[in-house]
Amino acid sequence: MKKRVQDFTIIDNRQVNTEYYVLELQSDIALADLKAGQFAELRVDGTSEVLLRRPISFYDVDYKKQTISLLIQEVGKGTRQLAKAKPGDKLNMIYPLGNSFSFDGIKKALLIGGGVGVAPLLLLGKILKYNDIEPTFLLGFRNKDYLVDILSFEKYGNVLLTTDDGSIGEKGTVLDHSMVESGLSGFDKIYTCGPQVMMKAVAKLAEEKGIDCEASLENTMACGFGACLCCVQQTIHGNLRVCVEGPVFDTNEIIW
Amino acid sequence: MKKRVQDFTIIDNRQVNTEYYVLELQSDIALADLKAGQFAELRVDGTSEVLLRRPISFYDVDYKKQTISLLIQEVGKGTRQLAKAKPGDKLNMIYPLGNSFSFDGIKKALLIGGGVGVAPLLLLGKILKYNDIEPTFLLGFRNKDYLVDILSFEKYGNVLLTTDDGSIGEKGTVLDHSMVESGLSGFDKIYTCGPQVMMKAVAKLAEEKGIDCEASLENTMACGFGACLCCVQQTIHGNLRVCVEGPVFDTNEIIW
Amino acid sequence: MVNLAVQIGDLKFKNPVSTASGCFGYGYEYSDFMDVNRLGAIFVKGTTGSNRDGNPYPRMAETPAGMLNSVGLQNKGVDHFISEIYPIIKDYDSHIIVNVSGSTIEEYVEVSEKLNELDKIPAIELNISCPNVKEGGMVFGTHCPSAIEVTRSVRKAFTKTLIVKLSPNVTSIHEFAMAVEGAGADSISLINTLLGIAINSKTRKPVLSTVTGGLSGPAIKPVALRMVWQAYHAVKIPIIGLGGIMNATDAIEFMLAGARAIQIGTANFIDPAVSIKVLEGIEGYCRENGFSDVNDLVGALET
Amino acid sequence: MVNLAVQIGDLKFKNPVSTASGCFGYGYEYSDFMDVNRLGAIFVKGTTGSNRDGNPYPRMAETPAGMLNSVGLQNKGVDHFISEIYPIIKDYDSHIIVNVSGSTIEEYVEVSEKLNELDKIPAIELNISCPNVKEGGMVFGTHCPSAIEVTRSVRKAFTKTLIVKLSPNVTSIHEFAMAVEGAGADSISLINTLLGIAINSKTRKPVLSTVTGGLSGPAIKPVALRMVWQAYHAVKIPIIGLGGIMNATDAIEFMLAGARAIQIGTANFIDPAVSIKVLEGIEGYCRENGFSDVNDLVGALET
Ligand SMILES: Cc1cc2nc3c(=O)[nH]c(=O)nc-3n(C[C@H](O)[C@H](O)[C@H](O)COP(=O)(O)OP(=O)(O)OC[C@H]3O[C@@H](n4cnc5c(N)ncnc54)[C@H](O)[C@@H]3O)c2cc1C
Ligand SMILES: Cc1cc2nc3c(=O)[nH]c(=O)nc-3n(C[C@H](O)[C@H](O)[C@H](O)COP(=O)(O)OP(=O)(O)OC[C@H]3O[C@@H](n4cnc5c(N)ncnc54)[C@H](O)[C@@H]3O)c2cc1C
Ligand SMILES: Cc1cc2nc3c(=O)[nH]c(=O)nc-3n(C[C@H](O)[C@H](O)[C@H](O)COP(=O)(O)O)c2cc1C
Ligand SMILES: Cc1cc2nc3c(=O)[nH]c(=O)nc-3n(C[C@H](O)[C@H](O)[C@H](O)COP(=O)(O)O)c2cc1C
Ligand code: FES
Ligand code: FES
């Protein structure tokens, strides 16, 4: 798919919890095809503190309405500025970027997300479902005040929750969830996105259980489309660009 | 008067002509006393292109309503950004800054302004009028599309106009106006603000006619309150700070 | 009609706009966004004698109006370039100029010799100013005798246009400009990145794995303009100016300061089609200001 | 309670926050906005042997995240300082440190000797790094033997705390740091401004009357942090860090890199009360991060 630099119109900006919000963007022209795991580079206007674009995964897409949703956590200068977006504002994005999750020959998949890392898993779950693959979501959050809109996920599969304090779902991290302990039988693929420690632990678990696993990694990016080599991940194939050869990697290939 | 750093609320932003607009700002607290010729340093938010504040003269003030008006010409990055201000937005200013026009013992004054340089002359005219001094405004503009709100000026005195193309008022610069040729008798003071070439010519005229003259100078400022020495004007007393010893100078003291 | 062509050594650039090494990949990374054939030249990624993995992650930190990088010359080496990349890019209508990097004089010479054999590589840019490698790199660019020696040695090995890229991390840029001119350079390009640090006050650690990195972007423009201007008054060979160019106005400032051509680096990351806009902006400026030849801008600063 | 006091040579600063020379006038310019007595020190405007008019207008140009100035040490000379300004400011509760500038070693020595007599001037800052004067100034700061000579000479004339302010326009900052340490400096402050140019593409003229000027503000912070870090690893005397500090986080970064105290320059123009906010922010950071002594931040960068 050809990459584009395109202006979108913000049509909605809804606060999801104290730190997360969902931007809904509309395109005047037919959207480029998006795959689950891909991302966009957003230009942040209206502040003196941001020079480079910010990478954000696709959370959802509607080709008919020509809209894209992004789930964003306010962590710093750029995401704070983006949070101020109002319906009618323009947002410039380079998209679609990166590779995507693969699901050839899969029947039943476990999608393990932590915090804002759940973002690409919604679109993945949706696409899996359309491909007759049954997704189960195992999502971890700090506490109930940091939850995202779980109903969106439940449209596509069963949702299991953990929170650090047990304020909703089971207490602990995703790795502590009872279904993990009960063996993960039946799953032929695990997908994960979230804090690096979590993904590393999930990768280890998958290895132990002999289940294929893909992780969507983060990195600091300058370009997002392969030109600068700022975003590399050490892998068994050498330093690879998270923005081109990733963000999705087979966890067996990652040197954490 | 003690200088302050204060947030104002924009209550109006009206386009005056293709390049000029008037911002009306309201204060929550009693305004500091302003004198004609003084200015404020405006912080420009919401753009990555501006670091320093921008100096803008007081155009009008209403102590009862606690409002200040600024007449601003869009010339570059900062004034372009300020032009986007909407009612309800905040604007941070350091004020009041600089010295002011003096009018002790004056009876009849001629206020010669060019372009956006007419700004401080409105407030000056108003104050002169309140002090029973009769102001006559002689204002020059590029053409009729660059005019400001002349009615505001007419409240305080007679208004004479020139435009470069004669599209309104007399044709030519302020210096070409018939009343200048007819001798300027009766005026015991000239005040001027506008492009430097104009002010220089006015100063020369005043000298020839033996009339006292004060000019409000521009300069590139970093601080606006005397700390950086970036804004000096060469005078017979040495290099003086336009932001403290100015912006108003007796034209006899200026080394142009 | 404005003449946009400029001469760099024996080489004619069809226009003064090119893209900086390390910021434009091999050109094809940008082909979705623009017609790379419209550029005067493409300076491809720093190329070394053999494969380099570059530095560990993290390699990038944003700073006020700039960014630090410590990529560290990650590339697969000159042989890989010749066999895998050159065939893809050799028929671009823009000059392909290889940025030659190394740790030793022998390495610079070896890479240059190999590139000398390639028909469609009309010039190299000798990178003696990379701040992100432990050995070599900036050492050659901050020690005048070394700069002379490496330039002389490569001059013998490379018969086509030789551009030497200078480091801004020096006391007297004109000294280096004159030194490499004397050593046989056909042109100099400047500036490479300024050495800087970014710190995360929360973790109390440097942001980059290498602690220091190279500062690029708008923040460095005033320093870059100053160095181009100083170099312009020190040497006769043409200067390629860069450092913080974000738009046509910036590019024109560099030409007025003395640059015959310009390179765009960091700006490509923010707007991948920026170089075309700069090209069109320069042409527009010439037209509006009555310059029939872009060369008339070079060094035209009235001081 | 957090201990905020830091030691610079024989001098105790009640806190590490001070304001940079040339950016804070003589302190009283800020008295409408803040209580200047809360600062650790005030570095007053560069003071020379006799009256200087400074450079012609224009003296200032805004650049991306920075500004260029070419004030050129405008001041009325040391005698005027002593008779007219010193009496007004001598009773501030913050240390008054005079920035001593000159064109010749004799001038530096003369000014320092005169200031040595003033009870309430506990320290001077030797400005060997001003880029905006034709003679002297930066020459002393970019030529190591000159830096040593001027420091030695002033050391003999000035018996109290001697701070030497270094120029960033050099290849090896640690070389200069070590040189002036060896020559008797009690402390070094860095960085002064980077030499830069701004050009108006419409008029095709430099923006500044002097063509070049000194770059300050956030743009230079990565370079300043790097130099502070390099100097910290080169000398034992305390370092006063500055260059682009806009808020407490920036100040903490300088301390982590090795600065015992910091100065705030350009930021004062944008927010005249910024120094107090920085002071309070540093204290808050220490409290939140369990530092009972601000000195524990100094050089605490984990690399
Ligand atoms: C492929 C990819 C997809 C992403 N998808 C999403 C998403 O869907 N939703 C979302 O909220 N975030 C996502 N992120 C992370 C997002 O890009 C960063 O949170 C954002 O760039 C931070 O910008 P800022 O200006 O707010 O923070 P800054 O002010 O730049 O930094 C604030 C803090 O965040 C850290 N930080 C900055 N950038 C990154 C980064 N890229 N990775 C890790 N830490 C960083 C900094 O070190 C600093 O401590 C994704 C990142 C990548 C690489
Ligand atoms: C005491 C004083 C009072 C002023 N009062 C008013 C006023 O009431 N209304 C008004 O519209 N303007 C006024 N000005 C001028 C105003 O400050 C500048 O037009 C403004 O700072 C330009 O900012 P900018 O970011 O839009 O332009 P920039 O993008 O910074 O520059 C655009 C162009 O304008 C020139 N320029 C920038 N600043 C100045 C300056 N201070 N003086 C002259 N040229 C400059 C630059 O050289 C450049 O060519 C006043 C200036 C001073 C010193
Ligand atoms: C990510 C990155 C990688 C770079 N790699 C190289 C390189 O391999 N060789 C080189 O000579 N310069 C390299 N540079 C320096 C640029 O070519 C250029 O000199 C510098 O970035 C200043 O220009 P700019 O401000 O337009 O980016 C790199 C710069 C960046 C930002
Ligand atoms: C307008 C201006 C005037 C200055 N005058 C002096 C001076 O007289 N002596 C001096 O040592 N440094 C002078 N400096 C340099 C500052 O003290 C400081 O080193 C520099 O601005 C970097 O800090 P900043 O980025 O916080 O401004 C001046 C800086 C500015 C902006
Ligand atoms: S961010 Fe530039 S290569 Fe990945
Ligand atoms: S603008 Fe700083 S002294 Fe006038």
Side-chain angles (χ1 to χ4, degrees), chain D residues 208-261:
Chain D
L208 300 177
S209 67
T210 47
V211 187
T212 61
L215 182 63
S216 62
I220 69 172
K221 190 183 72 165
V223 174
L225 281 174
R226 184 259 297 181
M227 292 193 164
V228 166
W229 184 75
Q230 288 181 321
Y232 179 71
H233 290 282
V235 297
K236 293 213 173 56
I237 51 175
I239 292 168
I240 303 173
L242 73 156
I245 297 179
M246 301 301 282
N247 52 46
T249 306
D250 294 336
I252 290 158
E253 290 168 16
F254 273 84
M255 297 194 76
L256 293 170
R260 177 98 19 209

Side-chain angles (χ1 to χ4, degrees), chain C residues 63-65 68 142 169-171 194-206 211-212 215 218-219 221-223 225-226 229-230 249 252-253 256-257 285 289 291 297 300-303, chain D residues 63-65 68 142 169-171 194-206 211-212 215 218-219 221-223 225-226 229-230 249 252-253 256-257 285 289 291 297 300-303:
Chain C
T63 65
L68 290 168
T142 57
N169 300 292
V170 298
T171 311
L194 279 163
L195 198 61
I197 288 187
I199 291 175
N200 183 330
S201 67
K202 279 191 205 125
T203 60
R204 288 185 281 284
K205 288 188 183 144
V211 188
T212 60
L215 182 64
K221 192 184 72 168
V223 174
L225 282 173
R226 184 259 297 181
W229 184 73
Q230 287 180 323
T249 307
I252 290 157
E253 290 168 18
L256 294 171
Y285 177 93
N289 291 275
F291 290 94
L297 294 179
L301 189 70
E302 289 171 38
T303 58
Chain D
T63 66
L68 289 168
T142 57
N169 300 295
V170 298
T171 310
L194 280 161
L195 199 63
I197 289 185
I199 292 173
N200 184 331
S201 68
K202 278 189 207 129
T203 59
R204 289 185 280 285
K205 289 189 183 144
V211 187
T212 61
L215 182 63
K221 190 183 72 165
V223 174
L225 281 174
R226 184 259 297 181
W229 184 75
Q230 288 181 321
T249 306
I252 290 158
E253 290 168 16
L256 293 170
Y285 177 92
N289 291 274
F291 289 94
L297 294 179
L301 190 70
E302 289 172 39
T303 57

Side-chain angles (χ1 to χ4, degrees), chain C residues 223-270:
Chain C
V223 174
L225 282 173
R226 184 259 297 181
M227 291 192 164
V228 165
W229 184 73
Q230 287 180 323
Y232 180 71
H233 290 282
V235 297
K236 294 214 172 55
I237 51 176
I239 292 168
I240 303 173
L242 74 155
I245 297 179
M246 302 301 282
N247 50 47
T249 307
D250 293 336
I252 290 157
E253 290 168 18
F254 273 85
M255 298 194 73
L256 294 171
R260 177 103 11 213
I262 59 97
Q263 295 178 20
I264 300 170
T266 303
N268 294 297
F269 306 151
I270 300 154

